[in-house]
Amino acid sequence: MKETSLGSRIFDFANILFMIILCCSTLYPFLYLLSMSLSPSTVSFAQIRIIPEALTLENYQQVLGYDYVIRGFINSLIRTILGTILMVAFTVAAAFVLAKKQFPHRRFWTMFIVMTMFFSGGLIPSYLLVKDLHLMNTVWALVLPGLVNAFQLIIARNFMMSLPEELEEAAKMDGANEIKILIKVIIPLSMPIIATLALWNAVGHWNQWFDSLIYMTDRDNDVLQVVMRRIVLQGNMEAMNGMMPQDSSNINPETLKAATVMVTTLPIICVYPFVQKYFVKGMMIGSVKG
Amino acid sequence: MNVSEQEQSLLYRTWKKSFLYPYWKNKYLTILLLPTLLFFALFHYGPLYGLQIAFKEYNFFDGIWGSAWVGMQHFERLFEMQSFWEVFRNTIIISFYKFLFGFPAPIIFALLLNELRHAIFKRVVQTISYFPHFVSWVILAGIFTVFLSPSMGPINIVLKAIGLDPIYFLADTSWFRTVLVSTEVWKDLGWGTIIYLAALSGVNTELYEVAKVDGANRFQRVWHVTLPALVPVITIMMVLSIGKLINDDFDQVFNLYNPAVYSVGDVLSTYTYRQGLVEMQYSFATAVGLFKNLIALVMVLSANWVANRLNNYGLW
């Protein structure tokens, strides 16, 4: 359908222009910080442009040479990997069972799980629970309370319900039990949804910080987002000390903060192009059939 | 058949009739589901047990069960407190503005995206617009504190260049809510379009052809064909967002605010955190949280009820 009327062409032009402005306004804050993180610390801020006048990696050297940041990075990595693996395993197993019509009281158990989407004990009871279970200052405090998400479980279940039953029956004829069927038949067929779940949760774990803030009282256990929070938002001098150069009298800590923000953001930027389409796909699966 | 055999077969028949038998028959499935059920029981139903401290005077040594009952005392104190009503008002106002601007924005954006004819350009715009959704509020707050800073942020540099006074956006009570609402819309504008675009991709293209033959111009086609196709999705999304109205965005507010703007920016969830985990008033904070959760629950249920009434298209 080709449009040729003048009004229509003006609209197209305005629309494209609007989209370009929108994209610029989305990217500008990130590029600004990137530029700042690559500028020498002596730069005056009125000079910061999208393309810095002088490029330097010294801010990154300072930030990455600081063991508080490195430890935060490792802590984030551990929770992300552990949390994602456990979460996918639990969700897939449970979704498989709830997709089975023969499972006793299937509707009840589904409701038992779905119900949790509409209420919660709230901050303090959850905090006391973790504390009473002696999970404070362990990675389990970050992984266990969010182990399975009801919404994601339902999406995975709906996906599995759409798989053809004949395949399972054939496997059953061959004498396979349910666990074998899950591993040999269902999981290979469910790779799209498994990839989606894994990516959702990996990004989720990487970005999560509040649980670390309240459950980790020992600074060695802080995840990277909390490390960044302490350095950048609280401008905590004590937290920054380890990365300031010895002679810091005329040095501006703002470029170091910018580099810290970028170090926290970079993993997301790196995986984003690959992750994005899975996220969108997952959203569609969840919304269309949910 | 001797007696013990008879007994055994009777036992077997009772066992077969018991509610546990089907689980035994599906024992592999039961084993697979059990860990997840235990998880939900412990981490979702478990904290409900802790809610009782909203009606007790929790102290660490006696624990949840052992602490003394105090009835509605915490709620009475809550409703008498000036600061609580201020926080409550902030929550309502901020949520209302976020809904007012944040709800229609993705719909309009999706409609505009749908009019783009260049497929690659469209994909590039989408990819860029989704991006901020993947970045945590901690990072974004880090970026915005630099970006909006009165001395070096680009916005204030521009303001100064044209001879205006710089604005300390994050510490100015008259600007803080604007910052909250606009950064929220900015962050999730692109992401919010996904579901509408999905709905739009399902519109029958013949309808456009027919409309065109009938002489409808572009705007009329959007108005009479595209928009009606979105109505069911818009309804569902509205139910969901109304349900979330009171669930203010803790991550955003907590990372952006500071004591200078508590009077306009402090919301129920941040207030709960400060009262509970900073001031260690566990019981009082639990009462605040319970109050908030109850309102949220009532709002979801009633929004869904309204949606069902309107066009039989509720969430359940």
Side-chain angles (χ1 to χ4, degrees):
Chain A
M1 266 195 301
K2 191 116 177 90
E3 302 282 344
T4 44
S5 78
L6 181 65
S8 180
R9 275 178 9 224
I10 292 174
F11 170 78
D12 276 332
F13 178 75
N15 197 10
I16 290 170
L17 195 69
F18 169 76
M19 292 298 170
I20 291 172
I21 293 171
L22 195 98
C23 288
C24 292
S25 81
T26 304
L27 291 178
Y28 186 59
F30 296 100
L31 293 176
Y32 179 80
L33 259 275
L34 179 67
S35 159
M36 195 164 152
S37 71
L38 290 168
S39 302
S41 51
T42 45
V43 76
S44 96
F45 288 103
Q47 288 169 355
I48 290 195
R49 307 268 182 279
I50 284 299
I51 298 153
E53 277 163 33
L55 277 176
T56 171
L57 285 173
E58 68 181 42
N59 298 309
Y60 287 90
Q61 273 166 0
Q62 295 293 343
V63 170
L64 294 173
Y66 183 25
D67 56 345
Y68 185 39
V69 173
I70 298 299
R71 235 176 296 135
F73 197 96
I74 294 170
N75 290 335
S76 283
L77 212 59
I78 292 174
R79 78 168 288 180
T80 302
I81 293 171
L82 184 69
T84 305
I85 292 174
L86 286 177
M87 182 274 157
V88 170
F90 273 61
T91 306
V92 168
F96 170 67
V97 178
L98 291 177
K100 293 256 175 214
K101 288 192 191 72
Q102 87 256 27
F103 191 74
H105 312 117
R106 181 175 76 136
R107 285 175 66 94
F108 171 79
W109 293 120
T110 309
M111 278 315 287
F112 178 79
I113 289 166
V114 170
M115 283 288 285
T116 61
M117 285 160 69
F118 302 104
F119 65 82
S120 75
L123 177 66
I124 307 298
S126 307
Y127 173 81
L128 292 177
L129 178 69
V130 170
K131 205 172 175 168
D132 290 345
L133 292 171
H134 300 287
L135 299 177
M136 302 283 281
N137 277 312
T138 69
V139 68
W140 300 111
L142 311 179
V143 169
L144 289 183
L147 193 60
V148 185
N149 175 297
F151 177 70
Q152 294 176 8
L153 176 54
I154 297 307
I155 289 173
R157 183 198 69 145
N158 290 350
F159 182 90
M160 289 181 187
M161 279 162 83
S162 70
L163 296 176
E165 275 178 59
E166 292 79 13
L167 288 167
E168 279 184 54
E169 277 160 22
K172 221 176 242 172
M173 294 285 195
D174 294 342
N177 67 35
E178 305 287 0
I179 292 177
K180 226 176 200 164
I181 292 175
L182 173 62
I183 293 168
K184 290 268 163 73
V185 181
I186 301 296
I187 289 181
L189 288 174
S190 305
M191 279 331 273
I193 193 73
I194 291 175
T196 307
L197 291 176
L199 290 168
W200 274 2
N201 289 284
V203 174
H205 269 294
W206 183 265
N207 279 336
Q208 186 54 259
W209 54 277
F210 182 66
D211 47 5
S212 171
L213 185 77
I214 62 176
Y215 297 137
M216 301 296 157
T217 49
D218 183 349
R219 252 183 48 170
D220 284 354
N221 297 325
D222 287 345
V223 298
L224 188 57
Q225 306 266 345
V226 171
V227 171
M228 200 220 78
R229 224 190 99 80
R230 290 203 207 284
I231 292 172
V232 180
L233 292 184
Q234 300 175 331
N236 192 324
M237 272 311 166
E238 190 206 342
M240 283 192 77
N241 268 341
M243 68 182 191
M244 293 288 274
Q246 291 299 310
D247 171 36
S248 55
S249 46
N250 56 357
I251 281 196
N252 194 323
E254 298 307 321
T255 52
L256 285 177
K257 289 185 182 175
T260 314
V261 172
M262 288 324 289
V263 167
T264 318
T265 322
L266 274 176
I268 297 279
I269 293 177
C270 293
V271 298
Y272 178 66
F274 311 100
V275 168
Q276 193 242 131
K277 74 168 194 264
Y278 280 100
F279 265 81
V280 176
K281 221 185 269 169
M283 273 299 286
M284 305 274 202
I285 298 172
S287 55
V288 177
K289 287 183 191 160
Chain B
M1 209 192 274
N2 62 37
V3 178
S4 88
E5 266 178 3
Q6 258 179 359
E7 255 176 17
Q8 259 184 353
S9 89
L10 184 70
L11 208 66
Y12 184 65
R13 261 180 286 154
T14 353
W15 163 234
K16 257 187 124 164
K17 269 186 225 148
S18 85
F19 80 98
L20 279 174
Y21 181 72
Y23 292 98
W24 173 252
K25 239 182 90 189
N26 292 297
K27 53 183 170 299
Y28 293 113
L29 293 179
T30 309
I31 291 168
L32 287 173
L33 185 62
L34 205 58
T36 300
L37 291 182
L38 288 176
F39 158 77
F40 278 101
L42 182 58
F43 285 101
H44 284 271
Y45 289 88
L48 299 184
Y49 166 81
L51 275 178
Q52 57 176 292
I53 67 169
F55 309 95
K56 287 185 163 182
E57 193 57 66
Y58 178 80
N59 79 66
F60 190 71
F61 299 102
D62 298 326
I64 295 172
W65 185 246
S67 298
W69 293 96
V70 294
M72 301 298 283
Q73 190 189 300
H74 295 297
F75 291 91
E76 281 160 22
R77 206 181 117 211
L78 182 69
F79 296 131
E80 280 162 15
M81 267 169 83
Q82 191 78 44
S83 67
F84 171 76
W85 289 113
E86 191 178 274
V87 166
F88 189 64
R89 230 189 62 198
N90 290 340
T91 306
I92 301 288
I93 293 174
I94 292 168
S95 303
F96 173 76
Y97 279 117
K98 279 184 179 176
F99 179 76
L100 191 68
F101 293 101
F103 188 75
I107 300 174
I108 296 166
F109 186 40
L111 289 174
L112 290 176
L113 268 173
N114 200 45
E115 293 298 314
L116 287 180
R117 270 173 259 168
H118 201 294
I120 295 172
F121 180 64
K122 185 175 163 185
R123 210 172 317 140
V124 171
V125 174
Q126 278 178 269
T127 306
I128 292 175
S129 69
Y130 296 161
F131 180 66
H133 175 80
F134 293 85
V135 182
S136 73
W137 271 115
V138 186
I139 294 175
L140 290 180
I143 292 176
F144 285 128
T145 35
V146 176
F147 200 74
L148 298 173
S149 123
S151 57
M152 61 197 185
I155 295 179
N156 276 312
I157 288 173
V158 171
L159 285 181
K160 274 185 272 187
I162 56 175
L164 294 170
D165 283 335
I167 300 166
Y168 195 174
F169 291 98
L170 292 172
D172 186 330
T173 48
S174 58
W175 278 95
F176 188 68
R177 283 176 189 156
T178 311
V179 172
L180 287 182
V181 173
S182 50
T183 54
E184 165 101 356
V185 173
W186 174 85
K187 185 178 195 277
D188 275 328
L189 174 67
W191 187 249
T193 61
I194 291 180
I195 191 154
Y196 298 113
L197 288 171
L200 287 179
S201 68
V203 179
N204 188 348
T205 44
E206 278 173 30
L207 288 174
Y208 290 106
E209 304 286 350
V210 172
K212 206 177 176 193
V213 171
D214 285 349
N217 67 26
R218 227 166 139 185
F219 176 75
Q220 284 169 325
R221 267 175 277 158
V222 170
W223 188 255
H224 293 290
V225 181
T226 317
L227 202 56
L230 287 183
V231 168
V233 187
I234 292 175
T235 318
I236 292 195
M237 295 310 281
M238 196 176 278
V239 173
L240 283 174
S241 3
I242 289 173
K244 274 189 236 146
L245 266 185
I246 196 152
N247 269 320
D248 43 62
D249 225 321
F250 177 86
D251 282 20
Q252 184 197 18
V253 178
F254 187 68
N255 285 305
L256 285 172
Y257 81 166
N258 57 69
V261 288
Y262 280 176
S263 64
V264 292
D266 203 9
V267 289
L268 283 169
S269 55
T270 48
Y271 185 70
T272 312
Y273 169 79
R274 285 214 319 280
Q275 294 297 322
L277 295 183
V278 180
E279 311 280 329
M280 311 268 264
Q281 300 194 54
Y282 291 132
S283 286
F284 180 69
T286 306
V288 181
L290 182 58
F291 175 73
K292 189 192 93 168
N293 286 348
L294 281 178
I295 296 180
L297 188 64
V298 170
M299 285 178 83
V300 182
L301 295 177
S302 39
N304 191 59
W305 183 82
V306 171
N308 271 323
R309 275 297 137 99
L310 281 179
N311 57 1
N312 282 325
Y313 220 101
L315 271 179
W316 64 86

